[in-house]
Amino acid sequence: MKHLKLGSAALLMLIFSQAKSQKTTFDKPDQPAKCKNIREGKFLRPNYPEGIWYMTIKDNIQTEYFNNGKDYIKSSLVFVDDCNYKAIVLDKTVNDGRIRIGDVFSNKIVETQDNALKIHSKIENSQYEVIYIKAKK
């Protein structure tokens, strides 16, 4: 039952993030985009409390935390160039069947503005647009 609730919450979070990210606009995007901002730090999503979701990146390891940090998805990052990278799922705490160890997400940073990054993420035939806000140190 716990996994069903967590899976439902994760699905709602994904749907909500898609709706919100499409409404986020970059009025004065950086020229050129500051793609290297994704290489390390703590990242949040607009309109998401940190207890619902946050992500850290250090030494090419990306860890997404949710459920107040109790659950995570850990991925290895392989950079093709400054603005394109792949995230390969290494480990996770929830077995809901949607994301599997070994899955590869292809990511492209399409726009940045100050500490915000707009990313197109693709796995198989699904594509998502997400906005990350890099937390200030």
Side-chain angles (χ1 to χ4, degrees), residues 6-121:
L6 188 56
S8 297
L11 181 59
L12 286 172
M13 202 167 62
L14 178 63
I15 292 167
F16 183 70
S17 71
Q18 294 305 305
K20 285 292 183 187
S21 69
Q22 292 179 12
K23 292 181 182 179
T24 303
T25 60
F26 286 57
D27 298 331
K28 296 179 182 177
D30 299 319
Q31 296 296 329
K34 296 177 185 173
C35 296
K36 288 188 177 184
N37 280 349
I38 195 74
R39 299 280 178 137
E40 189 168 303
K42 182 176 185 176
F43 299 86
L44 307 170
R45 286 192 181 163
N47 303 315
Y48 269 59
E50 191 173 319
I52 292 178
W53 184 94
Y54 72 94
M55 176 177 75
T56 61
I57 297 176
K58 184 171 176 70
D59 298 328
N60 290 334
I61 298 295
Q62 170 183 296
T63 308
E64 297 180 63
Y65 296 94
F66 46 99
N67 192 20
N68 286 318
K70 295 175 188 168
D71 293 302
Y72 65 86
I73 298 172
K74 185 180 288 188
S75 302
S76 173
L77 302 183
V78 178
F79 286 87
V80 177
D81 57 39
D82 285 344
C83 296
N84 293 281
Y85 64 98
K86 296 188 183 301
I88 305 163
V89 178
L90 300 174
D91 192 18
K92 64 187 193 117
T93 57
V94 177
N95 292 317
D96 63 2
R98 291 181 302 127
I99 295 175
R100 297 176 305 276
I101 293 174
D103 280 352
V104 178
F105 290 81
S106 297
N107 300 293
K108 180 176 184 171
I109 300 169
V110 294
E111 212 168 16
T112 65
Q113 182 174 315
D114 301 323
N115 63 335
L117 300 100
K118 184 185 294 185
I119 297 176
H120 288 172
S121 183

